[in-house]
């Protein structure tokens, strides 16, 4: 591995560590905390998009990030096969596709600007039976 690639890898690892750790004021060491909460798996839904074309969609309506910052999520679609209840080690999975989200910001609760109205796409999927929280009215933040 050349020197530049090694430096890039070290810098990327350092950034990942900074995103997933915080300085605990009660101890001089770094403590790792769980950052992502909610259901991190989803079944596939075959639905029509806004253009009336069929597609396959995955939903994560209860994901929550506990630590303020800018994040990207990596989603991997896998095929799981061979699961036997008595022998979970026999389960095999293979990645079919991986995609990384656009960067987004997680807010400190005091700085959170409030929920936005749900998009037309969310309403469209909700009408097709997907159990999603739909917001139609905005409440003024105090």
């Amino acid at each position: 591995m050349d020197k530049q690639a090694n430096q890039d890898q070290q810098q990327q690892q350092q950034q990942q560590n900074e995103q997933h750790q915080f300085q605990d004021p009660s101890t001089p060491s770094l403590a790792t905390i769980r950052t992502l909460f909610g259901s991190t798996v989803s079944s596939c839904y075959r639905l029509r998009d806004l253009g009336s074309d069929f597609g396959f969609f995955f939903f994560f309506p209860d994901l929550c990030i506990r630590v303020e910052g800018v994040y990207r999520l990596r989603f991997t679609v896998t095929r799981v096969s061979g699961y036997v209840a008595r022998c979970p080690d026999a389960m095999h999975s293979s990645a079919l596709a991986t995609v990384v989200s656009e960067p987004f910001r997680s807010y400190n609760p005091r700085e959170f600007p409030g929920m936005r109205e749900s998009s037309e796409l969310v309403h469209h999927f909700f009408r097709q039976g997907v159990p999603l929280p739909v917001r139609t009215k905005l409440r003024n933040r105090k």
Side-chain angles (χ1 to χ4, degrees), residues 2 6 10 14 26 32 35 41 83 87 91 93 102 116 124:
D2 66 64
N6 191 23
Q10 288 175 348
Q14 182 180 357
S26 64
T32 302
T35 304
V41 296
Y83 180 76
C87 187
M91 184 170 68
S93 66
E102 292 294 322
R116 295 186 217 165
H124 186 71

Short mmCIF file of all heavy atoms in Angstrom, two decimals, residues 2 6 10 14 26 32 35 41 83 87 91 93 102 116 124:
data_model
loop_
_atom_site.label_atom_id
_atom_site.label_comp_id
_atom_site.label_asym_id
_atom_site.label_seq_id
_atom_site.Cartn_x
_atom_site.Cartn_y
_atom_site.Cartn_z
N ASP A 2 0.61 2.20 -0.86
CA ASP A 2 1.47 3.38 -0.92
C ASP A 2 1.19 4.31 0.28
O ASP A 2 0.22 4.17 0.99
CB ASP A 2 1.30 4.11 -2.25
CG ASP A 2 -0.07 4.73 -2.43
OD1 ASP A 2 -0.43 5.63 -1.66
OD2 ASP A 2 -0.77 4.29 -3.36
N ASN A 6 -2.24 4.84 2.68
CA ASN A 6 -2.15 4.51 4.10
C ASN A 6 -2.59 5.71 4.96
O ASN A 6 -3.32 5.54 5.94
CB ASN A 6 -0.73 4.09 4.44
CG ASN A 6 -0.62 3.49 5.83
OD1 ASN A 6 -1.61 3.01 6.37
ND2 ASN A 6 0.57 3.53 6.40
N GLN A 10 -5.82 5.88 7.49
CA GLN A 10 -5.70 6.27 8.89
C GLN A 10 -6.62 7.45 9.21
O GLN A 10 -7.25 7.49 10.27
CB GLN A 10 -4.25 6.63 9.22
CG GLN A 10 -3.33 5.43 9.28
CD GLN A 10 -1.88 5.83 9.48
OE1 GLN A 10 -1.52 7.00 9.35
NE2 GLN A 10 -1.04 4.85 9.80
N GLN A 14 -9.73 7.47 11.84
CA GLN A 14 -9.80 8.46 12.91
C GLN A 14 -11.15 9.17 12.90
O GLN A 14 -11.76 9.38 13.94
CB GLN A 14 -8.67 9.46 12.77
CG GLN A 14 -8.64 10.49 13.89
CD GLN A 14 -7.50 11.49 13.73
OE1 GLN A 14 -6.68 11.38 12.82
NE2 GLN A 14 -7.45 12.45 14.62
N SER A 26 -16.21 12.16 33.47
CA SER A 26 -15.88 11.54 34.76
C SER A 26 -14.63 10.66 34.69
O SER A 26 -14.09 10.28 35.71
CB SER A 26 -17.06 10.70 35.26
OG SER A 26 -17.30 9.63 34.37
N THR A 32 -17.12 4.31 24.54
CA THR A 32 -17.91 4.11 23.32
C THR A 32 -19.37 4.03 23.69
O THR A 32 -19.74 3.36 24.65
CB THR A 32 -17.46 2.83 22.60
OG1 THR A 32 -16.08 2.93 22.32
CG2 THR A 32 -18.22 2.62 21.32
N THR A 35 -24.73 4.58 19.06
CA THR A 35 -25.18 5.80 18.39
C THR A 35 -26.51 5.61 17.67
O THR A 35 -27.35 6.49 17.70
CB THR A 35 -24.11 6.26 17.39
OG1 THR A 35 -22.89 6.42 18.08
CG2 THR A 35 -24.47 7.56 16.74
N VAL A 41 -33.23 -3.48 10.43
CA VAL A 41 -33.56 -4.42 9.35
C VAL A 41 -34.96 -4.12 8.86
O VAL A 41 -35.80 -3.60 9.60
CB VAL A 41 -33.45 -5.90 9.81
CG1 VAL A 41 -32.04 -6.26 10.17
CG2 VAL A 41 -34.39 -6.18 10.95
N TYR A 83 -31.44 -20.71 6.94
CA TYR A 83 -31.66 -20.56 8.38
C TYR A 83 -32.41 -21.77 8.91
O TYR A 83 -33.44 -22.17 8.41
CB TYR A 83 -32.45 -19.29 8.69
CG TYR A 83 -32.69 -19.11 10.17
CD1 TYR A 83 -31.66 -18.67 10.99
CD2 TYR A 83 -33.91 -19.42 10.74
CE1 TYR A 83 -31.84 -18.51 12.35
CE2 TYR A 83 -34.11 -19.26 12.10
CZ TYR A 83 -33.07 -18.81 12.90
OH TYR A 83 -33.26 -18.66 14.24
N CYS A 87 -30.08 -24.41 14.45
CA CYS A 87 -28.68 -24.26 14.09
C CYS A 87 -28.46 -22.93 13.37
O CYS A 87 -28.26 -22.90 12.16
CB CYS A 87 -28.23 -25.43 13.23
SG CYS A 87 -26.47 -25.44 12.90
N MET A 91 -26.90 -20.44 8.92
CA MET A 91 -27.48 -19.38 8.09
C MET A 91 -26.39 -18.72 7.25
O MET A 91 -25.29 -18.46 7.74
CB MET A 91 -28.15 -18.34 8.98
CG MET A 91 -28.86 -17.26 8.21
SD MET A 91 -29.88 -16.21 9.24
CE MET A 91 -28.68 -15.35 10.20
N SER A 93 -25.66 -15.55 4.29
CA SER A 93 -26.20 -14.36 3.63
C SER A 93 -25.17 -13.84 2.65
O SER A 93 -23.97 -14.05 2.81
CB SER A 93 -26.55 -13.27 4.65
OG SER A 93 -25.39 -12.80 5.27
N GLU A 102 -27.01 10.16 1.53
CA GLU A 102 -26.45 11.50 1.49
C GLU A 102 -26.18 11.92 2.94
O GLU A 102 -26.85 11.45 3.86
CB GLU A 102 -27.44 12.48 0.84
CG GLU A 102 -27.66 12.23 -0.63
CD GLU A 102 -26.41 12.48 -1.45
OE1 GLU A 102 -25.67 13.44 -1.15
OE2 GLU A 102 -26.18 11.72 -2.41
N ARG A 116 -40.70 18.12 10.01
CA ARG A 116 -41.24 18.68 8.77
C ARG A 116 -42.49 17.89 8.38
O ARG A 116 -42.68 16.76 8.80
CB ARG A 116 -40.22 18.52 7.63
CG ARG A 116 -38.98 19.30 7.82
CD ARG A 116 -38.14 19.19 6.57
NE ARG A 116 -36.75 19.12 6.96
CZ ARG A 116 -35.78 18.74 6.17
NH1 ARG A 116 -36.03 18.38 4.95
NH2 ARG A 116 -34.55 18.72 6.59
N HIS A 124 -47.71 8.69 -0.44
CA HIS A 124 -47.97 7.72 -1.50
C HIS A 124 -47.76 6.29 -0.99
O HIS A 124 -48.59 5.40 -1.24
CB HIS A 124 -47.05 8.03 -2.69
CG HIS A 124 -47.29 7.22 -3.90
ND1 HIS A 124 -48.41 7.37 -4.69
CD2 HIS A 124 -46.56 6.24 -4.46
CE1 HIS A 124 -48.36 6.51 -5.70
NE2 HIS A 124 -47.23 5.81 -5.58
#
